[in-house]
Amino acid sequence: MTYVPFFVHGENRSSRWLITCDHAANTVPPDLDGTLGLPDSDMARHIAFDPGAAGVTRALADALGAPAILSNFSRLVIDPNRGEDDPTLLMRLYDGSVIPGNRDADTREKERRLNAYYRPYHDAYAKLAARQDNTVIVAVHSFTRQLKSRPSRPWHVGILHAYDRRLSDPLIETLDAEPDLVVGRNEPYPGHLPGDAIDRHALHHGRKNTLIELRNDLIETEATQAAWGERLAPMLIDALAKTTD
C-alpha cells in the first residue's frame, strides 16, 4: 500500500463543521524505515500520538455529518501542531524518552520531512477549511493522565482556546453542567502557540474554532471513542447556536 501523510474521512460531506486530528497516528513512514529507534512501548505512548483521538474524531465527524482530516505520521516524525519555526517541531527528547531517529536530524532532514509529511497535511487541511465561508473548526486531541514526575491531572476534558472564545465559552458552559465531568479551560496546558494548526487555519481567517482535549484513559476503546463523539456532537451544535459573529 502506498504511504499517504493524511486521511480525509467523509470528504464529500457538506457540513460547515471541519473536525481535525493533528496527532491521530503513531506511524513512522517507510522512508524512515518505519522506526525512530524507539521500542514499541514508547511508540504506543502519548509521546508518539494522541491515543484514542482518531476514533473520537471519526465518531464526532459522523455525528455531525462533517468531514475530518487526520494525520498519518507520528508527532515524533514532525509535529503538525507546531509552527515551522517552533523549536519543538522536531523533538529529540520527550517526557523522559530520547528519540534516536531524531538525534542526527539536521536542517536538511527537517526540510525534507516538512515537504514529505507536514506540508501535504496542511495543504489538504487548508483546502477543506476553505470550502465554505463559514467553516467551524474543531480540533480533537488527547492527553495523558500523568507525565513522568508530575502530579496527576484531574480533568476529564479540557477546552483550549486563544483570543477567539466564541465557540469555546458556550461549550465550556455546557460541559460544566455535566455532573460527571471535571472540565479545564486551557488545561492541561495553554490553548495557543503561534503557528499551530488552529492559529494557521482558524485564527488567521476569522473562523470559529475550539480545541478539545480528552484524557486518554477515557477513550481507550472503540466503544468509548464512539460514545464521546456522540456526546460531544449535540454540545457543539448547542454551543454554535449561542455564538455571535
Side-chain angles (χ1 to χ4, degrees), residues 18-19 37 43 82 102 129 150 155 207:
L18 173 60
I19 317 304
M43 291 305 296
R82 297 292 185 271
N102 291 346
R150 300 285 184 88
W155 309 283
R207 295 173 178 136

Side-chain angles (χ1 to χ4, degrees), residues 23-36:
H23 300 145
N26 59 358
T27 306
V28 179
D31 56 6
L32 288 170
D33 297 325
T35 176
L36 290 170

Side-chain angles (χ1 to χ4, degrees), residues 193-215:
L193 289 171
D196 67 14
I198 287 291
D199 184 45
R200 180 173 181 165
H201 298 288
L203 298 179
H204 283 192
H205 301 272
R207 295 173 178 136
K208 295 177 183 179
N209 67 89
T210 194
L211 190 154
I212 301 173
E213 286 272 4
L214 292 165
R215 209 175 68 203

Side-chain angles (χ1 to χ4, degrees), residues 7 18 33 44 58 84 98 114 137 141 145 163 166 172-173 185 228:
F7 296 110
L18 173 60
D33 297 325
R58 288 188 289 266
E84 291 194 14
V98 175
L114 284 167
I137 296 176
H141 290 254
R145 187 167 194 160
Y163 53 83
R166 288 174 295 173
I172 290 170
E173 182 181 350
R185 180 190 293 273
W228 268 101

Side-chain angles (χ1 to χ4, degrees), residues 15-72:
S15 170
R16 68 183 292 194
W17 296 98
L18 173 60
I19 317 304
T20 70
C21 193
D22 301 318
H23 300 145
N26 59 358
T27 306
V28 179
D31 56 6
L32 288 170
D33 297 325
T35 176
L36 290 170
L38 287 168
D40 290 345
S41 57
D42 267 343
M43 291 305 296
R45 294 176 61 214
H46 70 97
I47 65 170
F49 72 127
D50 283 355
V56 175
T57 297
R58 288 188 289 266
L60 180 57
D62 289 346
L64 292 171
I69 184 166
L70 303 94
S71 68
N72 188 32

Side-chain angles (χ1 to χ4, degrees), residues 10 26 30 51-52 98 103 115 151 153-154 163 166 179-180 188 202 224 227 232 236:
N26 59 358
V98 175
R103 183 183 296 120
N115 286 328
R153 293 161 162 173
Y163 53 83
R166 288 174 295 173
D180 62 323
T224 54
L232 288 167
L236 283 161

Side-chain angles (χ1 to χ4, degrees), residues 93-172:
L93 175 69
Y94 198 157
D95 195 23
S97 292
V98 175
I99 298 90
N102 291 346
R103 183 183 296 120
D104 299 321
D106 56 13
T107 301
R108 179 178 296 181
E109 173 60 11
K110 183 176 89 168
E111 185 68 15
R112 188 194 71 79
R113 295 187 194 184
L114 284 167
N115 286 328
Y117 324 123
Y118 179 106
R119 289 173 181 150
Y121 171 74
H122 281 289
D123 288 347
Y125 190 149
K127 288 177 182 177
L128 285 166
R131 294 182 314 159
Q132 301 191 43
D133 293 335
N134 62 349
T135 296
V136 180
I137 296 176
V138 179
V140 177
H141 290 254
S142 72
F143 65 95
T144 190
R145 187 167 194 160
Q146 187 170 15
L147 295 170
K148 290 184 177 180
S149 302
R150 300 285 184 88
S152 180
R153 293 161 162 173
W155 309 283
H156 300 102
V157 57
I159 302 300
L160 278 55
H161 61 79
Y163 53 83
D164 183 355
R165 300 163 50 165
R166 288 174 295 173
L167 186 59
S168 295
D169 279 352
L171 180 58
I172 290 170

